[in-house]
């Protein structure tokens, strides 16, 4: 018996039987629907006073029979059918309208969002005689164009429009477009920000998200902003806007949507149920970058711990067979579900990692004690990510620490010895870069690394003064120092990249920020900074 999806309440058993019989019919591959099936579909739809729909596979087999309401049908979950940027779903939807209303916006949204092969509506007369078949298909096109094309209606007695050939041609065009648009990046993403404050702040945050995406080797296709009085508790943005976003992503060949705001577990589940493109948020993107950049065992431990703490409340499963026995012969009850097993394993791994990080913390404490016994002053370089901290360390100590024009280029802390001309020796340490709204999971996991700052006698706060957002970056770093109770440590503001600022503007910034202007790429420009560092260190000796 063919399963009927939808509302069967109030239907007679004979009508339900006729719906089941519709599912046993077949459709010629080149036709939208056969005339005989179209006639019987309209006759039954007029009789029950509801829309009836069919989901038809390319072979002509009917996959689903849909029993709708007077003004709509609901398409069921189609995840079992393939979906890829250069492929259509492999199903076409044909359903009735009880009036002469052609394709509605809901029909076109379903066509685009579900990437159906075709969407067709059969209008009929009051007596149930089919009138016209209105149809549309996905349109591979540019960003500015519509993602679908509405075709000229065809009479029900001539429904052959070359469906199989048309679908094959559309998929060939989608494949060609994907090949032409292919970049070196592994992912193509839309960046989304739903904000309640000012547009300027949202744009700045979105620009930073774009830099994070570049660091993670993600190609940004487009950025989308939406202002709301308050975020939607279920979808963050409105349901209609989310559908538009999903359609735009599919039309532009995006494989990923990145939200600038952190999504809570229920929002992740709701959005994942609504659209089929991979969705992540800013925190998840930062965690991914940290996982990519962590090289030492210590760094990998801390990143994995942060990832598991982030993922644990968001663990969901699409497996509908959750009552399947997993305990083997003799097990009582349904046993553990796959989801529960995953959660238990995650909790066990978190406990193991916390113990390992505690050992790291203890070892770092012993290292600090040994350094303190030697009496060497410790200088720590801090600052916003990509401000030039690693480059400054390389210039001061003639080292070769990795330095790139990317956010979080270096993650693992590096310590080097530095000898001043007065035969004074110090330990200078480069730390992980800060960023505004640093995820709480990262703050907790990197506690062992950040504790290195507690033993510092002097902080060098490196500031990229060529960045127009440097005042916000300064506030973000200082807020994190306050959270770590480190604001009492003496600090020198190092105004980096002075070569990108004209001399009058540079002097104004030096006075306003009370700092030392340098160019970390130009060693002679570091002399004033070295003198200040020597004077500050002399107070500790």
């Amino acid at each position: 018996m063919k399963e009927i999806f939808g509302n069967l309440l109030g239907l007679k058993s004979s009508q339900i039987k006729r719906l089941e019989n519709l599912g046993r019919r077949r459709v010629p591959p080149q036709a939208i629907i056969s005339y005989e099936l179209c006639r019987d579909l309209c006759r039954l739809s007029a009789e029950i006073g509801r829309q009836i729909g069919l989901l038809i596979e390319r072979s002509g087999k009917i996959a689903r029979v849909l029993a709708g309401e007077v003004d709509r049908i609901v398409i069921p979950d189609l995840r079992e059918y393939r979906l890829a940027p250069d492929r259509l779903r492999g199903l076409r939807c044909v359903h009735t309208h009880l009036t002469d209303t052609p394709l509605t916006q809901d029909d076109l949204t379903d066509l685009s969002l579900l990437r159906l092969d075709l969407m067709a509506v059969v209008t009929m007369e009051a007596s149930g005689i089919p009138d016209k078949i209105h149809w549309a298909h996905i349109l591979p096109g540019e960003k500015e164009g519509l993602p679908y094309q509405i075709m000229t209606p065809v009479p029900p007695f001539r429904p052959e429009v070359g469906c199989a050939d048309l679908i094959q041609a559309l998929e060939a065009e989608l494949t060609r477009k994907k090949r032409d648009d292919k970049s070196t990046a592994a992912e193509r993403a839309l960046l989304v920000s739903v904000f309640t404050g000012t547009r300027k702040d949202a744009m700045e945050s979105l620009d930073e998200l774009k830099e994070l995406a570049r660091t993670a080797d993600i190609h940004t296709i487009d950025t989308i902003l939406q202002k709301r009085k308050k975020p939607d508790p279920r979808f963050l943005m409105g349901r209609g806007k989310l559908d538009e976003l999903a359609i735009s992503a599919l039309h532009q060949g995006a494989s990923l949507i990145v939200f600038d705001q952190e999504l809570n577990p229920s929002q992740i589940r709701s959005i994942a149920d609504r659209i089929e493109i991979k969705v992540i948020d800013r925190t998840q993107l930062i965690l991914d970058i940290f996982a990519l950049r962590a090289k030492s065992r210590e760094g990998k431990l801390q990143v994995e711990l942060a990832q598991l703490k982030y993922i644990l409340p968001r663990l969901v499963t699409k497996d509908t067979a959750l009552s399947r026995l997993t305990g083997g012969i003799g097990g009582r009850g349904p046993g553990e579900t796959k989801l529960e097993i995953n959660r238990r394993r995650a909790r066990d791994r978190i406990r193991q990692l916390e113990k390992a990080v505690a050992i790291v913390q203890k070892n770092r404490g012993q290292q600090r004690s040994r350094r303190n016994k030697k009496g060497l002053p410790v200088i720590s370089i801090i600052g916003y990510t990509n401000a030039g901290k690693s480059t400054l360390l390389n210039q001061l100590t003639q080292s070769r620490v990795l330095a790139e024009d990317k956010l979080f280029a270096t993650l693992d802390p590096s310590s080097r010895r530095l000898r001043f001309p007065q035969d004074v020796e110090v330990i200078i340490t480069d730390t992980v870069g800060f960023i505004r709204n640093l995820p709480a999971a990262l703050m907790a996991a990197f506690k062992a690394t950040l504790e290195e700052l507690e033993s510092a006698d002097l902080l060098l706060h490196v500031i990229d003064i060529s960045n127009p957002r440097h005042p916000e970056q300064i506030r973000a770093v200082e807020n994190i120092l306050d959270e770590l109770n480190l604001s009492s440590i003496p600090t020198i503001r190092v105004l980096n990249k002075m070569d990108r600022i004209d001399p009058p503007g540079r002097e104004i910034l030096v006075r306003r920020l009370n700092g030392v202007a340098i160019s970390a790429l130009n060693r002679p420009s570091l002399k004033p900074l070295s003198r200040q560092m020597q004077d500050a260190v002399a107070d500790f000796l």
Side-chain angles (χ1 to χ4, degrees), residues 15 53 119 130 133 143 155 219 222 245 278 290 316 352 367 373 381-382 393 396 400 402 410 424 464 482 516:
Q15 293 169 337
M119 172 63 77
I133 301 176
K143 170 184 159 184
H219 174 64
D222 197 7
L245 173 65
K278 184 165 58 175
F290 272 51
V316 295
Q352 293 173 5
Q367 291 171 3
K373 287 179 181 178
I381 304 175
I382 62 170
L393 177 68
L396 288 172
R400 293 185 178 179
L402 176 66
T410 51
V424 174
D464 178 5
D482 287 338
V516 183

Side-chain angles (χ1 to χ4, degrees), residues 56 80 129 159 164 194 242 244 287 313 319 352 366 383 424 430 445-446 460 513 519 537:
I56 305 169
E80 62 185 280
I129 298 173
V194 181
L242 182 63
E244 289 179 18
L287 287 170
D319 186 7
Q352 293 173 5
Q366 292 172 346
V424 174
D430 177 26
F446 277 77
L460 300 183
L513 300 176
S519 172
V537 167

Side-chain angles (χ1 to χ4, degrees), residues 140-254:
E142 299 303 319
K143 170 184 159 184
E144 295 79 8
L146 291 172
Y148 51 79
Q149 182 171 356
I150 300 174
M151 306 299 289
T152 304
V154 296
F157 54 82
R158 193 176 294 165
E160 295 81 8
V161 294
C163 281
D165 296 338
L166 174 63
I167 293 164
Q168 186 178 1
L170 289 173
E171 289 197 333
E173 179 62 18
L174 286 167
T175 301
R176 185 197 64 78
K177 186 172 182 290
K178 180 185 177 185
R179 185 174 58 247
D180 293 345
D181 292 345
K182 191 174 182 180
S183 65
T184 56
E187 300 271 12
R188 292 165 52 83
L190 290 180
L191 308 185
V192 184
S193 177
V194 181
F195 64 99
T196 56
T198 65
R199 188 177 182 84
K200 179 176 177 292
D201 290 341
M203 285 293 295
E204 289 177 353
S205 183
L206 207 53
D207 288 342
E208 188 170 87
L209 186 67
K210 191 183 295 185
E211 282 299 304
L212 287 168
R214 183 175 70 88
T215 300
D217 196 28
I218 296 172
H219 174 64
T220 300
I221 301 174
D222 197 7
T223 57
I224 297 169
L225 283 167
Q226 186 191 31
K227 183 176 176 63
R228 290 179 64 95
K229 290 183 179 179
K230 62 178 182 179
D232 184 88
R234 188 176 180 190
F235 297 111
L236 189 66
M237 54 173 41
R239 186 192 300 260
K241 189 69 175 178
L242 182 63
D243 287 347
E244 289 179 18
L245 173 65
I247 292 170
S248 178
L250 290 168
H251 186 50
Q252 298 183 57

Side-chain angles (χ1 to χ4, degrees), residues 315-525:
L315 273 178
V316 295
T317 181
K318 296 296 182 187
D319 186 7
T320 56
L322 292 180
S323 62
R324 201 172 288 169
L325 288 173
T326 58
I329 296 174
R332 293 179 181 272
E336 282 187 299
T337 65
K338 183 178 178 182
L339 177 59
E340 289 166 346
I341 290 172
N342 290 339
R343 285 175 173 163
R344 176 170 54 79
R345 287 174 176 169
R347 284 191 289 266
D348 291 344
R349 182 59 179 162
I350 285 173
R351 282 192 290 270
Q352 293 173 5
L353 290 171
E354 285 176 337
K355 290 178 181 177
V357 170
I359 293 172
V360 169
Q361 215 166 340
K362 182 179 177 181
N363 292 339
R364 281 193 170 276
Q366 292 172 346
Q367 291 171 3
R368 286 196 297 272
S369 298
R370 287 196 293 269
R371 285 203 301 262
N372 291 337
K373 287 179 181 178
K374 292 181 180 180
L376 293 179
V378 177
I379 300 174
S380 290
I381 304 175
I382 62 170
Y384 210 79
T385 180
N386 203 30
K389 300 183 300 300
S390 299
T391 306
L392 177 60
L393 177 68
N394 288 339
Q395 286 288 8
L396 288 172
T397 62
Q398 298 297 293
S399 304
R400 293 185 178 179
V401 175
L402 176 66
E404 292 181 332
D405 185 20
K406 288 185 177 180
L407 305 186
F408 301 113
T410 51
L411 183 60
D412 299 311
S414 305
S415 295
R416 300 290 186 272
R417 289 190 177 224
L418 172 64
R419 184 180 294 274
F420 290 119
Q422 287 81 0
D423 210 25
V424 174
E425 198 172 49
V426 300
I427 300 292
I428 186 163
T429 304
D430 177 26
T431 59
V432 61
F434 295 161
I435 195 168
R436 61 179 168 183
N437 302 322
L438 189 68
L442 279 178
M443 287 282 286
F446 277 77
K447 185 179 178 183
T449 301
L450 296 173
E451 278 182 354
E452 285 287 306
L453 299 176
E454 293 179 3
S455 61
D457 300 298
L458 177 67
L459 299 179
L460 300 183
H461 180 180
V462 180
I463 303 164
D464 178 5
I465 56 173
S466 68
N467 192 317
R469 299 191 297 275
H470 71 263
E472 291 81 11
Q473 295 179 353
I474 292 172
R475 283 195 293 273
V477 172
E478 291 178 346
N479 287 340
I480 292 173
L481 291 177
D482 287 338
E483 291 177 25
L484 298 171
N485 298 318
L486 301 174
S487 53
S488 60
I489 299 176
T491 303
I492 297 175
R493 285 182 170 179
V494 182
L495 312 184
N496 191 22
K497 305 183 184 180
M498 69 174 190
D499 51 311
R500 300 184 183 180
I501 305 294
D502 59 273
R506 188 189 313 159
E507 293 300 322
I508 292 171
L509 287 173
V510 167
R511 288 195 299 271
R512 189 201 311 161
L513 300 176
N514 189 25
V516 183
I518 68 160
S519 172
L521 295 173
N522 183 9
R523 187 171 176 79
S525 71

Side-chain angles (χ1 to χ4, degrees), residues 253-274:
S255 58
L256 179 67
I257 295 175
V258 185
F259 281 87
D260 195 25
Q261 289 71 31
E262 184 170 336
L263 300 172
N264 62 43
S266 65
Q267 288 171 336
I268 285 279
R269 285 192 290 271
S270 298
I271 294 173
D273 289 340
R274 189 75 181 170

Side-chain angles (χ1 to χ4, degrees), residues 274-289:
R274 189 75 181 170
I275 61 179
E276 297 187 22
I277 298 175
K278 184 165 58 175
V279 175
I280 64 173
D281 59 18
R282 186 174 184 271
T283 300
Q284 202 167 347
L285 179 58
I286 293 174
L287 287 170
D288 187 73
I289 293 170

